[in-house]
Amino acid sequence: MSKKLQQNGLFESSRMMLPEHREAYILHQEQLAPRTRPSLDAQAADEMSRLLSNSMVLGDRVTITLFHEHDDISYTGRVLRLDRPARTLRLLTDDGNRDLQMNLITGVTSAGEWMDE
């Protein structure tokens, strides 16, 4: 009988991997790995705080970007309530209310004027 068919010979003879397969495997592993949350400098945190306060007081629409392990999530709406001790905020979106954790916010941008129904 051939040596390839004995014990672990079949596996040992099939270890060759094409470069395209190796690159695809590495890319897949990078996508599976969780990302780390970026740190914000003081100026960016102040700007985000200002935009959130303006949204709550003046009714401005903002787009809030939240950190997620695999991909960022964005919501657009108007801030209804800021709860600083609990570190949460309530956002009124087109789909309804959303409660967001403030420690996951990585970016806040102005989204234009709020349209009342």
Side-chain angles (χ1 to χ4, degrees), residues 60-78:
D60 296 340
R61 283 176 57 96
V62 291
T63 299
I64 298 175
T65 304
L66 297 176
F67 172 78
H68 191 266
E69 290 179 346
H70 300 291
D71 197 17
D72 290 338
I73 303 169
S74 295
Y75 296 108
T76 301
R78 181 172 56 102

Side-chain angles (χ1 to χ4, degrees), residues 5-117:
L5 300 177
Q6 294 175 357
Q7 297 172 351
N8 201 17
L10 185 61
F11 178 74
E12 293 293 331
S13 66
S14 65
R15 283 196 180 193
M16 190 180 94
M17 186 181 274
L18 294 174
E20 299 86 25
H21 295 162
R22 182 178 182 276
E23 291 171 10
Y25 177 75
I26 291 172
L27 181 64
H28 177 70
Q29 290 300 322
E30 288 174 356
Q31 290 174 350
L32 290 178
R35 300 181 309 148
T36 58
R37 189 168 105 63
S39 61
L40 301 173
D41 62 348
Q43 185 176 5
D46 288 342
E47 178 67 15
M48 289 189 325
S49 177
R50 184 187 64 79
L51 286 171
L52 292 173
S53 296
N54 283 349
S55 176
M56 187 173 70
V57 173
L58 303 174
D60 296 340
R61 283 176 57 96
V62 291
T63 299
I64 298 175
T65 304
L66 297 176
F67 172 78
H68 191 266
E69 290 179 346
H70 300 291
D71 197 17
D72 290 338
I73 303 169
S74 295
Y75 296 108
T76 301
R78 181 172 56 102
V79 177
L80 295 177
R81 187 183 77 213
L82 285 171
D83 188 2
R84 293 190 191 274
R87 305 277 303 150
T88 61
L89 64 88
R90 178 161 289 173
L91 188 71
L92 176 63
T93 64
D94 295 336
D95 300 330
N97 293 336
R98 292 206 177 263
D99 290 327
L100 308 175
Q101 293 181 1
M102 292 174 66
N103 62 341
L104 296 178
I105 296 175
T106 59
V108 178
T109 57
S110 179
E113 305 227 354
W114 178 254
M115 301 293 219
D116 288 329
E117 282 94 44

